[in-house]
Amino acid sequence: FFMAKRVYSRRGGFLAALVLALNFMHIRESQYSRPDILGGVFMVLAFMAMLSLKNKKDHLLAGIYTGLAASAKYQFSLLIFPALVAHFIPEPSEEKKSWGSRLLHPGPPIMLLAVFIAFFATSPYIVLNLKVMLADVFSAASVQVDLLAKYGFESSFQYHYQLSFLQGIGLPLMIAAALGILQSLARPKKADIVLLSFTVIYYLSITLGESVYMRYAMPLLFPLLVFSAKFADSCIGAVDSLSLPKPGKAVFTALLLAALLYLPARKVF
């Protein structure tokens, strides 16, 4: 709610929160208390800090939340990329600064140091036994390849398309998110670029690599919900501007929400 409200509007925040509360993937992984859910909590906090980078304290908070998210689930370490993007892209209201001055700003080193300290404080043996950890990660990655073949998928892209996106998130919500992204690209703001940078790099990391399990797509759910809420909010706003009776506008809003939440059960394997 607060992330979508910060990026777009209060109504967009309510829409994003409602869809998240009823989303199949989020409910499924929350039920099993997956670390992806805890990582998602810290990810949202990290994004909130990234979108408010004004001083060293904001950089520190963004780094701490990113480090905690990465400690909960290693894939969340990719949050470092949008955090750096957020530093180098100014808000329209900010004082214009050269790239050189932003490069020499103490914010990024503070943020990266905070990431390491937060990660080390909560997962010290990962750092102290780095060689063993890497060996275990590569071993798990090799198992992922066997699982893809076992479940009848030729690639991670095919797996996540059929399961994570169509079954976990839902086609209507994916279409709304895509349209929301197109809206954002028409007149991009800092928040749009920050969220989209993470969406792209994380999507490539799970589809070009060998990743199985729907939960690996969980980090994408949060920015996609924000973009879909942006599109839904604009649709509701467009209908509100028409001279239609209030019951008609209420019916449209209800039908739009039902369409976004529509997720037919399907047997994949």
Side-chain angles (χ1 to χ4, degrees), residues 176-245:
L179 293 173
I181 290 173
L182 291 177
Q183 282 183 318
S184 300
L185 291 177
R187 291 183 178 180
K189 299 186 297 184
K190 175 179 179 177
D192 299 318
I193 297 173
V194 171
L195 291 175
L196 193 55
S197 66
F198 176 78
T199 302
V200 171
I201 193 171
Y202 192 86
Y203 172 79
L204 293 175
S205 73
I206 65 170
T207 55
L208 296 181
E210 305 291 347
S211 69
V212 183
Y213 301 126
M214 188 185 295
R215 61 180 178 271
Y216 287 170
M218 269 294 300
L220 288 174
L221 180 62
F222 300 97
L224 290 178
L225 285 181
V226 172
F227 286 120
S228 63
K230 173 184 175 65
F231 173 72
D233 186 25
S234 65
C235 291
I236 295 173
V239 171
D240 283 343
S241 65
L242 300 176
S243 56
L244 296 175

Side-chain angles (χ1 to χ4, degrees), residues 18-28 167-170 173 218 221 225 261 263:
L18 175 64
V19 176
L20 177 65
L22 299 176
N23 176 259
F24 170 74
M25 182 193 295
H26 189 260
I27 295 173
R28 179 180 183 272
Q167 188 166 323
I169 299 177
L173 202 58
M218 269 294 300
L221 180 62
L225 285 181
L261 295 171
L263 187 61

